[in-house]
């Protein structure tokens, strides 16, 4: 039984892999990614071999889903790059006009600096900052408040010295 199953899978692979990989190649425009997607589709088929009635259809639907995931990942990367380049331009301008804010944030204790950087500079919601730092949302909110208070005090002091 196992031998016939292995033989059937091997024959299916030989018959369908080149066409599936070629189809994926046209969709993702990259040989390596296309082969990864086609291979992953076969791996998922193999994991469900006894339950899949139409292997060819399963392979193409799975590959289509993986291609869509790939496209989404590329779009997220493009958006992140646009955001980073935009933030870099804004930050460069801001730092030239007032380097003290950046220096003040850098001077915060690590416990307060991390939530500030994630929430305000990386534009992450408090829930996400909580997950990334392993702290409760209430703790993150308290840390953000404490950091803002420290920054406010330091900024007032520096403004008083300049006047």
């Amino acid at each position: 039984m196992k031998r016939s199953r292995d033989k059937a899978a091997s024959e299916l692979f030989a018959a369908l892999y080149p066409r599936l990989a070629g189809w994926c190649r046209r969709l993702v425009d990259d040989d390596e990614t296309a082969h990864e997607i086609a291979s992953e589709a076969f791996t998922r088929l193999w994991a469900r071999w006894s339950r899949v009635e139409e292997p060819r259809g399963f392979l193409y639907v799975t590959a289509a889903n993986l291609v869509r995931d790939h496209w989404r990942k590329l779009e997220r990367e493009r958006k992140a790059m646009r955001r980073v380049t935009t933030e870099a331009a804004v930050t460069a301008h801001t730092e030239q006009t007032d380097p003290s804010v950046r220096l003040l944030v850098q001077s915060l204790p690590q416990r307060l600096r991390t939530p500030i950087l994630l929430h305000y500079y990386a534009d992450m919601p408090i829930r996400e900052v909580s997950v990334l730092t392993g702290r409760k949302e209430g703790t993150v909110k308290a840390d953000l408040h404490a950091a803002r208070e420290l920054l406010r005090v330091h900024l007032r002091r520096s403004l008083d010295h300049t006047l």
Side-chain angles (χ1 to χ4, degrees), residues 16-26 30-31 34-35 38 60:
L16 294 181
Y17 184 84
R19 179 169 267 180
L20 181 65
W23 180 72
C24 291
R25 169 68 173 90
R26 286 189 301 281
D30 177 60
D31 283 333
H35 284 286
Y60 276 86

Side-chain angles (χ1 to χ4, degrees), residues 5 8 15 47 74 86-87 100 104 119 128 133 141 152-153 156:
R5 186 178 103 166
L74 288 178
T86 302
E87 286 175 4
S100 62
L104 286 174
H119 184 65
E128 197 170 339
T133 60
K141 289 177 184 178
R152 188 175 294 124
V153 167
R156 275 198 190 122

